[in-house]
Amino acid sequence: MISKELKIYNTLSREKELFEPFKPPFVGMYVCGPTVYGDAHLGHARPAVTFDTVYRYLKHQGYKVRYVRNITDVGHLQGDADDGEDKIAKKAKLEQLEPMEVAQHYTDTYHRDMDLLNTFKPNIEPRATGHIPEQIKLVQDILDAGFAYEVNGSVYFDVVKYNEEKPYGKLSGRVVEELMSGSRELDGQDEKRNPIDFALWKNAAPEHLMKWDSPWGVGFPGWHLECTAMSSKYLGDQFDIHGGGMDLMFPHHECEIAQGNAGHGHDPAKYWMHNNMITINGQKMGKSLGNFITLQELFNGKHDLLEQAYSPMTIRYFILTAHYRSTLDFSNDALKAAQKGYKKIINGLRIAKDLHYVDAEGVATDEKQVQQVEKSIENAYRAMNDDFNTAQAIGQLFNLLKKINSIFTGQLQAAALGKAVFEKLIQTFIVFVEDILGLVEEKSDKQQALLELLLKLYKEAKLAKDYDKVDEIRAALKSIGIVVKDMKEKVDWAYEE
């Protein structure tokens, strides 16, 4: 059943707005993907996990979502500028490869890392190089509308002229006059009418590796153009949600809004969502700053800033413990806390899946316990409906986990909740952990088989009163993060928290 209570913070209005898609139950969501010239880092993981969770929750609420996330494989120049070397072409020259070899390799490694983070693949993942005709047509449409001009084989968007009719800067809060006064001294802007104009199509020098024929000569598309062309192709000129990192708000998303209005007559998206940055010592993490930690380095622990390795699910959990619009500061202590929290949740998940309702004669319904469970479930959904507040939702899951653990240890009888509330408790916990937050237990079939064998040997040694062997097996399991639990009726285990 589709929730009528979901609110999304819209960067465009700077307010939380009731989510009302153009054509319910259908939802179109476009998210800016990576520029594939290097390994994915923690800064890439945040938008991927954020919008994967948005996608998951919308689907859980009954929406039919078309999720489009692009791959930028041309046009993104050094410094996010209109002049300079293409990031992928530069990497190709350094490694003596074809640009498409570089793009393919880092697209593959990005997908590998996103799979490890358990993010769903988007429904459509278009590449900029696969949509050159659409981008050329959009440039021509903007020229025909009078908001662009051609000079020396390049086409630029006329920001000043556009601003006379529609406000440029409404997303980011930038003011054209201030932008103009702050950019007059920039080099390499001679052929532009105004220094704040941006490239729609750039004339390619003979040595430029990635170039195509166009009505204006041989060249390549501007970075901002691809997202407008591809989002409109797959979601229409107007769609529901446009997402991305806060660092893309200006100029990238601002330029998309201008292109959409100039080429199609209206804003491209109704709701603009931006996740905040991951910082290290208060500074944004990114390739350009050289302070990034790749996801593979996080997973294997091989980086000077890391005290240990952190699993993909620990990283996912770490990202979800903060609201997506708040900054998330990296530290080993924060990651260790996330590791502990994740293990608690997964231990609870294992228990929840094994618990069964047992009716007990003479056990009265405990209304206080029932109300606590119902309230935690209600609050978990309220948190997600309040602009996808995963941090608060996780807090409510820990409230539910206390009840699950109490039932497991016998402190609380399932019958005291009643069958309906017990099943709702278990189902809600499992659905939130796995389906909405996307957290899964990290173990292979081989690891499970080995664990079961060791537990079998443990039980046999205990029955034989071979306590040296019992201690040896217990210590061996503890060394790999498994705690043996001797219970009245059975031997169980849990991940060490």
Side-chain angles (χ1 to χ4, degrees), residues 159-366:
V159 172
V160 173
K161 184 173 182 182
Y162 171 82
N163 191 61
E164 292 172 358
E165 297 190 21
K166 297 194 175 184
Y168 178 83
K170 66 179 182 177
L171 181 71
S172 61
R174 301 298 206 281
V175 178
V176 166
E177 289 74 21
E178 292 176 3
L179 290 170
M180 288 281 284
S181 63
S183 57
R184 292 190 186 281
E185 303 304 319
L186 291 177
D187 294 328
Q189 309 283 350
D190 294 344
E191 66 182 20
K192 294 183 182 180
R193 290 178 183 170
N194 301 291
I196 61 171
D197 294 348
F198 58 89
L200 298 173
W201 185 266
K202 283 289 291 182
N203 179 52
E207 67 274 12
H208 200 90
L209 294 176
M210 303 164 79
K211 51 195 174 186
W212 292 263
D213 289 332
S214 80
W216 316 285
V218 175
F220 56 92
W223 172 38
H224 313 303
L225 190 71
E226 60 172 294
C227 288
T228 304
M230 294 190 294
S231 63
S232 61
K233 178 178 175 69
Y234 296 110
L235 298 174
D237 295 349
Q238 286 187 300
F239 53 93
D240 301 298
I241 298 171
H242 194 310
M246 193 172 285
D247 56 332
L248 296 176
M249 191 190 308
F250 186 86
H252 188 55
H253 291 164
E254 198 72 74
C255 293
E256 281 189 63
I257 289 177
Q259 289 168 166
N261 276 281
H264 304 134
H266 42 244
D267 282 6
K270 187 174 183 180
Y271 304 91
W272 289 81
M273 295 180 66
H274 293 92
N275 65 274
N276 214 320
M277 300 295 101
I278 291 181
T279 57
I280 297 181
N281 299 323
Q283 187 179 38
K284 175 199 160 189
M285 179 183 289
K287 284 196 182 79
S288 58
L289 297 172
N291 66 349
F292 65 95
I293 303 173
T294 70
L295 290 173
Q296 285 298 309
E297 287 170 337
L298 281 160
F299 301 157
N300 62 36
K302 295 177 181 178
H303 191 284
D304 290 343
L305 290 172
L306 298 174
E307 294 176 6
Q308 64 175 69
Y310 301 97
S311 74
M313 285 298 98
T314 296
I315 300 304
R316 184 177 180 106
Y317 182 87
F318 170 63
I319 291 168
L320 293 171
T321 55
H323 188 272
Y324 75 90
R325 285 192 290 112
S326 64
T327 55
L328 183 58
D329 198 47
F330 162 87
S331 71
N332 281 281
D333 287 345
L335 285 172
K336 286 174 186 175
Q339 184 179 55
K340 188 174 182 179
Y342 161 71
K343 287 181 178 179
K344 281 184 177 179
I345 290 286
I346 294 303
N347 282 332
L349 184 66
R350 288 184 55 253
I351 291 169
K353 288 183 173 181
D354 286 339
L355 281 181
H356 300 286
Y357 182 77
V358 178
D359 208 350
E361 288 186 26
V363 177
T365 301
D366 188 329

